[in-house]
Amino acid sequence: MSTDGAELRARLRALSPAKRELLTARLAERGLLHYLDGGPEPVEGEPDEVTVKQEALWRAHRGGDDGDFHHVGLLCGFAPDRTPEDVARAVREAVARHEALRCSYHPDGRGGVRLRGHDVDDVPVEYTVATSTDRAGAWRRARELAVRDGRLAFRLDRPPVRFRVTDARPAAVLLSVVAHDIACDRYGMRTVLLPQLCGAPASGGLRPRDVAHWQRRSLESGVVRQQLARRIARLAPGVPLALPDLGNRKGARLPVRIDAATTRGLDRLARSSGSSLFAVLLAAWGSVVAEAHDRADTLVGCCTSGRHRPELGGVLADLANTMVVRVAARPRPDQADALRGTRDELTAALGDGDAPFERVFAALTGRDTDVDGPVRDEDIRVRLTLDEADGVAELPGCLGVEDVDFGYAKTSLSLELAMGSDGGLAGALAHRPTDVPHERATELAAMLHARLTALSRVGG
């Protein structure tokens, strides 16, 4: 298979429509759809386009952002043989390398938004000396400072990112990074920025504006436009779950723990049905929500990193996209083929993973973004995430990494899981108590656990 996909695209054109659809589905399952089109490329000059997601965030926050709700934060510790000056130097090198850390957002005079690049020195790095050199105490204080930094609103006409280096030697040197979602996402912080701060070489030559340029052109006449049309057509009969929305984003979390034996059973079921563990979790979660609300199906938002194309692996930006997947209620746990519907819906969504959520959701709901305001990720009220190992634990000189929790729920009802070191699944059912009361969330968590247990037995 050639790396540019030209040979594969030529062969695809020679296939019958049925075979072409089958091959596309298989490529989607394996994350290889980037071979079917050219994808983003470096653009000559300085295009100033922003992605659809960035434009939506700018329209919502140009008069002042939402504080920590639309912020992402990371706290990491380095071995004490690295001085605070060394860490700050690595930060400035990263700022110079990644324009997402030094760009601001401005009206373009035509009702839209454009990028403006800044100098490295326009992005300040704060220094703090820890009051305690005990490692646990130093981490606790650094975490408090990161939360405080994140709860300050950003001005989007300045680079919306903050760095703080905390000297806690001899225990550690700590670094917190807080950014507005418009600049970068959590996945990019962990897999692009952090490795480079630990000394890993930079990769790739694409900038966020190159990606935005490709998306905009492709929305006019290209693969993204085709993907968008397919997503809207496939989802058109669906209606998002109408949970209460009282505007209070404060979140609560109910622990969810799936033991290793149950997880192995779910994995066996996934393999026997030609699916994946994520598809099994999606089928169970979506069906529980639909059943609890007396619906035939429900629409679930699934977050993707947006880096399924190899050329995007080294791009620091907010490339995450939310896929909307239809999930039927009441799967039959006595038959493995009951999962095929969810698997097929998920495969179709992955195959069209470049279609911007904002455009998909606006079309589904008939939303006029000029009148009703921009679509945001929280507008899909039910979500599922499954975090996989991202390799940060093996970074040389890194003593630990944690996401900064600002205490807000990203949507009304969200199942957030990760693979544990013991082979099980652990996480939480995050919810907004004003939208989904504690008692209701507890009931959903119990229903989910019972359904996953039943499904695991189908897998042997």
Side-chain angles (χ1 to χ4, degrees):
M1 185 180 294
S2 60
T3 55
D4 62 5
E7 181 181 348
L8 181 58
R9 290 194 293 273
R11 292 182 179 182
L12 194 70
R13 286 193 294 270
L15 295 175
S16 67
K19 289 184 178 179
R20 188 181 305 122
E21 182 177 351
L22 178 62
L23 178 58
T24 300
R26 292 294 179 264
L27 289 170
E29 289 177 343
R30 292 163 175 78
L32 296 174
L33 276 177
H34 53 271
Y35 283 110
L36 296 186
D37 70 272
E41 297 178 348
V43 180
E44 293 184 7
E46 292 293 318
D48 60 2
E49 288 108 325
V50 296
T51 64
V52 170
K53 183 182 186 72
Q54 287 177 314
E55 182 178 10
L57 287 167
W58 178 80
R59 290 185 181 280
H61 301 153
R62 55 185 161 179
D65 74 17
D66 292 77
D68 58 334
F69 179 71
H70 281 284
H71 298 176
V72 59
L74 193 70
L75 177 63
C76 51
F78 298 99
D81 57 352
R82 288 193 71 180
T83 67
E85 292 75 19
D86 290 338
V87 174
R89 188 179 305 111
V91 167
R92 295 197 178 282
E93 290 172 356
V95 172
R97 183 181 303 119
H98 298 289
E99 69 172 15
L101 302 175
R102 51 183 172 81
C103 272
S104 58
Y105 306 83
H106 304 264
D108 64 2
R110 303 185 299 274
V113 56
R114 61 180 177 83
L115 289 172
R116 175 189 167 195
H118 290 257
D119 295 332
V120 173
D121 291 339
D122 289 339
V123 182
V125 179
E126 299 290 336
Y127 287 87
T128 302
V129 177
T131 56
S132 171
T133 55
D134 168 72
R135 179 174 294 186
W139 271 90
R140 184 167 53 252
R141 179 55 178 160
R143 189 181 301 114
E144 292 170 354
L145 290 172
V147 171
R148 188 188 72 179
D149 290 342
R151 287 183 174 171
L152 298 174
F154 282 111
R155 287 180 49 181
L156 299 188
D157 59 355
R158 304 291 297 170
V161 59
R162 299 185 181 105
F163 295 94
R164 180 181 293 275
V165 178
T166 299
D167 184 356
R169 292 176 294 177
V173 175
L174 304 172
L175 172 69
S176 64
V177 186
V178 177
H180 193 283
D181 284 347
I182 200 171
C184 60
D185 53 39
R186 180 176 68 93
Y187 186 85
M189 276 191 178
R190 295 179 70 96
T191 64
V192 179
L193 178 61
L194 184 56
Q196 292 175 15
L197 293 175
C198 291
S203 62
L206 284 177
R207 304 164 298 175
R209 66 179 72 201
D210 298 325
V211 180
H213 182 82
W214 169 78
Q215 184 193 57
R216 294 290 183 172
R217 295 297 176 269
S218 195
L219 272 169
E220 294 174 3
S221 58
V223 65
V224 180
R225 181 179 180 180
Q226 297 167 11
Q227 291 184 15
L228 180 62
R230 284 196 296 269
R231 294 309 297 146
I232 293 171
R234 189 174 188 107
L235 293 168
V239 178
L241 187 61
L243 291 170
D245 184 5
L246 300 182
N248 186 343
R249 292 162 166 171
K250 184 176 180 180
R253 299 174 67 83
L254 290 175
V256 174
R257 177 76 176 87
I258 308 300
D259 62 52
T262 301
T263 302
R264 286 194 297 271
L266 296 172
D267 194 51
R268 285 191 293 269
L269 174 60
R271 291 196 303 271
S272 68
S273 61
S275 187
S276 64
L277 178 61
F278 184 84
V280 173
L281 294 172
L282 177 61
W285 173 232
S287 67
V288 161
V289 173
E291 182 178 333
H293 291 86
D294 196 25
R295 289 169 53 113
D297 57 37
T298 191
L299 299 180
V300 181
C302 304
C303 185
T304 67
S305 69
R307 291 171 172 83
H308 51 287
R309 300 170 183 273
E311 63 268 27
L312 298 179
V315 179
L316 184 66
D318 188 350
L319 302 181
N321 191 29
T322 297
M323 302 183 303
V324 181
V325 184
R326 186 198 316 278
V327 183
R330 297 180 182 275
R332 294 169 294 174
D334 58 326
Q335 296 186 33
D337 63 1
L339 299 170
R340 290 176 182 167
T342 300
R343 179 202 64 185
D344 292 344
E345 291 290 338
L346 179 59
T347 297
L350 288 168
D352 294 325
D354 292 313
F357 165 75
E358 293 77 10
R359 296 289 180 91
V360 172
F361 198 82
L364 287 178
T365 57
R367 187 163 179 168
D368 184 340
T369 55
D370 290 331
V371 176
D372 303 318
V375 171
R376 291 182 279 193
D377 287 338
E378 63 185 296
D379 292 331
I380 184 76
R381 313 297 294 286
V382 180
R383 294 175 66 90
L384 169 67
T385 60
L386 175 61
D387 286 343
E388 299 180 357
D390 51 22
V392 297
E394 292 79 33
L395 291 174
C398 184
L399 301 180
V401 182
E402 62 181 59
D403 300 315
V404 180
D405 182 4
F406 298 116
Y408 278 60
K410 285 293 186 181
T411 192
S412 300
L413 196 58
S414 178
L415 180 61
E416 302 169 357
L417 297 174
M419 291 298 301
S421 58
D422 63 349
L425 292 165
L429 196 164
H431 65 106
R432 297 177 182 174
T434 55
D435 298 350
V436 180
H438 177 78
E439 295 77 11
R440 185 60 159 169
T442 301
E443 177 186 355
L444 290 170
M447 291 174 64
L448 173 68
H449 194 275
R451 183 140 302 166
L452 290 175
T453 300
L455 287 171
S456 72
R457 292 168 181 157
V458 177

